[in-house]
Amino acid sequence: MAIAGSDQRSENADVLIIGAGASGSVAAKHLSDNGFKVVCLDQGPWVDNKEFAGARPEWELMAQKRWHPNPNVRDLENDYPVDVSESDVNPLMYNAVGGSTILWAAHWQRFMPSDFRVKTLDGVADDWPFTYEELEPFYEQAEEEMGVSGLAGDPAFPPTKPLPTPPLPIGKIGMKAAEGMNKLGWHWWPGPNAMPSKPYRGRNACVRRGTCLTGCPEGAKASMDLVYWPTSIKNGAKMITGARVKEILVNDKGLATGAVYIDRAGRERTQKAGIVIVCANGIGTPRLLLLSTSKRFPNGLANSTGLVGKRLMMHPYAAVAGVFDEPLESWLGPAGQTIQSMQFYETDKSRGFVRGAKWQVMPSGGPLGLRAAYGGRALEEAWGVNLHRNTKRVFGHAFEWGIIAEDLPEESNRVVLDPTLTDSDGIPAPKLIYKNSENTRKLIDFHLARAQEAMKAAGAVSMTTTPLMRDCGWHLMGTARMGEDPGTSVVDPYGKAHDVPNLFVYDGSNFVTSSGFNPTGTICAIALRCVKHLIANRRDQEIAA
Amino acid sequence: MSTALQDDDRKTFAGIADVLIPAAEGMPAASEIGIQGEILDKVLGFRPDLRENLLRGLRAAKGKDPRTAAETLNKTDGPAFGAISLAASAGYYMDPKVRKLIGYPGQENRPYNPDETPEYVRNGMLKVVSDRGPIYKPTPK
């Protein structure tokens, strides 16, 4: 266990934040800016940028283990296992200060206005308790804090102010993809990325190394340990690393009073606080709430509806990779996204399904193949003379159109506590039960067919199609949904648990629907909206004595 | 089972590695760049998790025809074949000579001018997208 700042672990905090990923980091910074005494517990360590292998020859070798986004593959001490035996998709995350932003691709997306009104527009799922317009100022502030690069004016969204830094180069792969889209008359736009194209508030400019998914050696990418924590620590916030939380405590009034955690020496410790904010991601948060049973809350904390853990959404991901005759330097970043398309994002019921998907072009990595999900071919096909032929044909000559499919919330897709599997501290591990729906399957089939047309229009000489990548569960959402009605939601529109008035959930668990976009921009904007409301209403906020 | 690499292990590894990565198409065979020596040590240094599966596969393949051994492992012991093939290919593509031959500079720092007007703006490619107008559905009233 390591503590940044003075040791206040035995003191009461004003606010205890559990999890130092995207939402917890936003909350800690703004609370500490406003004089709150903040303590944050994270089961992982601080990560030094020098650990990242992106600039070294062993990069791809390390990407398949040490920096793999699947915790079951990575299997570090700070990871917990996840039972995926009944899931179509593996969840991806990183456990450290910064959370999954350590390894994220930093695709910075807003949701579209329709994403907040799917019930009204499409008759499915539920509307959100606020609109795009209500969230818009928080998107704008989050973009400024994160140092997003990109080009305003994308006709897929309402008009926005210019982003803080100019767009990153889209490279030969982006140009090639864009040429294909223009031939078809389809939408594309240079992709916004949470990586500045110029030095920004103590961070370096992106250098296009293209290793974002295994950590940014340059200190350019907006990972939360770099964006928010230096200021939070300076403000007096305390970060306790190596702290694996096993239970949120409650008093006889039904208020949260803090949490019990196990440090890396195996000692059980208690951190008391007046307010508790859970920010442990769409799997870690319901796991912890379900673990926190008591006489008053026998089914887990904030779970009077039985919805904690249900409505899990993970964004099934499909892709079409195209190979081109001409060299495209397709190892170059950002990775990150070069261009994106929302041509088929909005619902068109004539397609036989509702909602849609965002597409993005990403580079294809080094010669070893960045993504193990593409492997598994026969000996004679993958090796021998064909290894050399394939490398010459494909390496540096390929890119993919990736497709993020919106999956709708279903109570059957859920996180539960595993009856036998535990983490290294003996705490029950989460188990995922997650199946793609008929709507999702039709959606993916349609989009793959269109992406093949886009690749063909761009001039691809060959293509491979991945209908569902198993290692794609980056986006963990919906397992403690927000809403106005305490009978049908876990938290209110500001993240406050309906059942426990000083317990909050700020991470992607609180999403009502998933959209077809990378969610971190929206997680940050919602966390910002929630924490600013908490700060503004601090005098009326009930706290544990 | 000894977890240290023996000379026989290296010899078996070189044989299988040459089946997987032969001299062809202007590229050297794996053993020509010394895959079984320092390169293998380096790979296992970075990825100690590969050692157990790799050694099991190599010792099962000892003395056998390398092609037959590779095919058998691929069919009957996926983890062992995976460890051997990953060690061979990762070591091969980490080698500077090999990288030069395939035109890969590694994940490089590529300078650019962020204030330069992008080509897709200068040549009007993006304007045709803008000119088609908004494609989103506004929030319903």
Side-chain angles (χ1 to χ4, degrees):
Chain A
M1 181 180 69
I3 301 174
S6 64
D7 183 354
Q8 290 185 345
R9 69 176 173 228
S10 57
E11 296 177 26
N12 268 15
D14 293 332
V15 181
L16 170 63
I17 296 171
I18 300 169
S23 61
S25 301
V26 169
K29 195 267 183 186
H30 287 273
L31 288 165
S32 62
D33 272 350
N34 284 276
F36 286 78
K37 193 161 77 179
V38 173
V39 172
C40 182
L41 302 175
D42 198 284
Q43 63 198 309
W46 291 91
V47 180
D48 186 336
N49 284 4
K50 294 186 189 73
E51 292 180 54
F52 301 136
R56 300 194 290 269
E58 68 271 22
W59 166 61
E60 290 195 283
L61 183 62
M62 300 304 280
Q64 294 185 20
K65 181 68 178 174
R66 171 65 183 86
W67 299 107
H68 199 287
N70 182 338
N72 289 343
V73 173
R74 199 169 55 233
D75 196 25
L76 296 175
E77 190 197 5
N78 42 295
D79 291 316
Y80 55 85
V82 183
D83 182 344
V84 293
S85 58
E86 293 185 50
S87 177
D88 287 346
V89 164
N90 293 332
L92 308 177
M93 66 180 81
Y94 199 75
N95 296 304
V97 179
S100 298
T101 64
I102 296 289
L103 298 188
W104 74 317
H107 298 192
W108 183 271
Q109 300 293 158
R110 295 183 179 199
F111 285 7
M112 280 186 185
S114 69
D115 287 315
F116 299 92
R117 288 292 177 269
V118 299
K119 180 75 171 175
T120 299
L121 288 167
D122 299 321
V124 293
D126 302 280
D127 289 344
W128 287 61
F130 45 77
T131 62
Y132 174 89
E133 286 73 20
E134 288 171 273
L135 197 57
E136 204 275 338
F138 302 99
Y139 275 130
E140 197 174 286
Q141 184 174 347
E143 283 156 5
E144 188 214 325
E145 292 178 358
M146 297 284 276
V148 175
S149 61
L151 190 65
D154 187 341
F157 298 92
T160 64
K161 285 185 180 172
L163 288 161
T165 65
L168 296 168
I170 67 172
K172 293 177 182 174
I173 59 172
M175 286 295 284
K176 183 59 68 180
E179 286 165 16
M181 299 301 266
N182 275 7
K183 279 183 196 165
L184 296 166
W186 289 357
H187 170 264
W188 67 274
W189 202 259
N193 290 287
M195 29 185 123
S197 54
K198 297 177 173 183
Y200 192 83
R201 299 186 181 179
R203 283 155 49 212
N204 295 316
C206 170
V207 299
R208 302 184 68 197
R209 197 175 296 285
T211 62
C212 316
L213 286 162
T214 50
C216 175
E218 321 307 321
K221 187 178 75 171
S223 61
M224 298 310 193
D225 53 326
L226 302 181
V227 176
Y228 288 109
W229 278 101
T231 305
S232 300
I233 297 290
K234 206 177 287 178
N235 287 343
K238 304 296 175 290
M239 166 63 68
I240 303 179
T241 55
R244 180 168 276 153
V245 179
K246 63 179 282 193
E247 182 182 6
I248 296 168
L249 300 169
V250 289
N251 64 16
D252 54 9
K253 292 180 184 163
L255 293 168
T257 60
V260 177
Y261 66 93
I262 300 171
D263 71 18
R264 289 312 86 209
R267 292 170 296 200
E268 198 165 287
R269 296 187 179 276
T270 299
Q271 176 62 55
K272 295 280 192 179
I275 292 168
V276 176
I277 305 176
V278 191
C279 301
N281 84 35
I283 292 174
T285 289
R287 177 196 185 204
L288 181 56
L289 295 176
L290 292 171
L291 283 166
S292 302
T293 56
S294 59
K295 199 171 173 185
R296 190 176 186 122
F297 300 105
N299 299 319
L301 207 49
N303 196 25
S304 62
T305 57
L307 282 171
V308 169
K310 293 181 179 172
R311 297 167 62 102
L312 172 66
M313 297 170 280
M314 292 202 282
H315 277 162
Y317 186 89
V320 174
V323 178
F324 295 78
D325 280 335
E326 60 267 55
L328 298 174
E329 297 183 307
S330 52
W331 57 84
L332 272 178
Q337 54 185 344
T338 63
I339 72 167
Q340 60 182 7
S341 175
M342 274 68 83
Q343 178 65 33
F344 303 103
Y345 190 90
E346 300 280 26
T347 295
D348 176 346
K349 286 183 177 166
S350 70
R351 297 173 190 152
F353 59 88
V354 294
R355 307 307 298 158
K358 171 216 168 195
W359 299 8
Q360 72 261 316
V361 168
M362 293 181 73
S364 51
L368 196 56
L370 181 61
R371 297 180 183 86
Y374 292 113
R377 290 175 292 179
L379 187 72
E380 63 275 15
E381 186 193 341
W383 299 100
V385 176
N386 280 335
L387 175 79
H388 297 309
R389 287 180 184 153
N390 289 337
T391 299
K392 287 194 172 169
R393 188 175 61 86
V394 175
F395 172 65
H397 293 249
F399 67 83
E400 76 170 31
W401 269 118
I403 297 162
I404 297 177
E406 173 164 0
D407 54 340
L408 294 166
E410 296 179 48
E411 291 192 15
S412 56
N413 285 337
R414 61 199 189 273
V415 179
V416 298
L417 296 179
D418 195 278
T420 54
L421 186 68
T422 65
D423 65 25
S424 57
D425 290 309
I427 303 169
K431 174 178 181 170
L432 306 192
I433 299 161
Y434 178 86
K435 302 291 172 196
N436 286 328
S437 70
E438 184 66 16
N439 190 74
T440 302
R441 284 191 288 272
K442 286 180 181 171
L443 187 158
I444 288 175
D445 287 347
F446 172 87
H447 279 263
L448 281 172
R450 300 292 82 71
Q452 287 168 344
E453 291 169 22
M455 273 294 177
K456 196 173 170 192
V461 293
S462 66
M463 283 181 246
T464 54
T465 298
T466 306
L468 176 65
M469 195 179 289
R470 188 161 172 85
D471 268 334
C472 76
W474 279 108
H475 306 156
L476 309 171
M477 301 165 284
T479 49
R481 67 152 292 195
M482 59 167 51
E484 300 278 5
D485 180 0
T488 59
S489 56
V490 177
V491 298
D492 77 6
Y494 294 101
K496 181 190 288 190
H498 291 300
D499 297 349
V500 185
N502 68 335
L503 175 72
F504 295 79
V505 173
Y506 282 2
D507 61 50
S509 305
N510 64 27
F511 278 28
V512 178
T513 57
S514 70
S515 85
F517 287 112
N518 316 69
T520 303
T522 301
I523 290 173
C524 291
I526 290 175
L528 197 49
R529 179 177 183 272
C530 291
V531 77
K532 288 179 94 164
H533 183 267
L534 173 61
I535 292 165
N537 294 279
R538 61 199 299 178
R539 289 182 194 285
D540 300 324
Q541 173 60 50
E542 199 171 350
I543 58 170
Chain B
M1 181 175 81
S2 165
T3 57
L5 278 166
Q6 310 297 322
D7 287 347
D8 279 351
D9 297 325
R10 293 185 190 277
K11 192 176 161 193
T12 308
F13 180 69
I16 294 176
D18 278 355
V19 171
L20 302 177
I21 311 173
E25 302 286 316
M27 299 297 292
S31 65
E32 287 177 55
I33 65 159
I35 196 82
Q36 68 276 28
E38 279 181 27
I39 295 177
L40 179 58
D41 294 334
K42 205 183 276 187
V43 167
L44 293 179
F46 290 126
R47 291 288 304 275
D49 57 291
L50 297 176
R51 182 176 290 268
E52 183 182 336
N53 287 329
L54 179 132
L55 281 176
R56 186 180 67 253
L58 294 181
R59 289 173 188 175
K62 183 182 172 184
K64 294 180 182 162
D65 168 64
R67 176 166 300 279
T68 308
E71 282 171 353
T72 303
L73 284 174
N74 192 30
K75 284 177 192 157
T76 62
D77 191 345
F81 181 77
I84 292 168
S85 59
L86 177 60
S89 54
Y92 188 75
Y93 287 120
M94 282 163 57
D95 185 81
K97 295 184 293 293
V98 170
R99 288 184 166 209
K100 195 170 179 186
L101 284 168
I102 62 170
Y104 179 45
Q107 296 305 119
E108 59 181 328
N109 172 342
R110 179 70 67 91
Y112 59 93
N113 176 4
D115 292 319
E116 186 179 67
T117 304
E119 183 185 353
Y120 53 79
V121 173
R122 291 198 309 270
N123 68 12
M125 279 175 72
L126 193 62
K127 187 169 181 300
V128 300
V129 181
S130 305
D131 287 350
R132 287 196 292 267
I135 62 166
Y136 65 90
K137 291 181 184 172
T139 302
K141 300 293 178 196

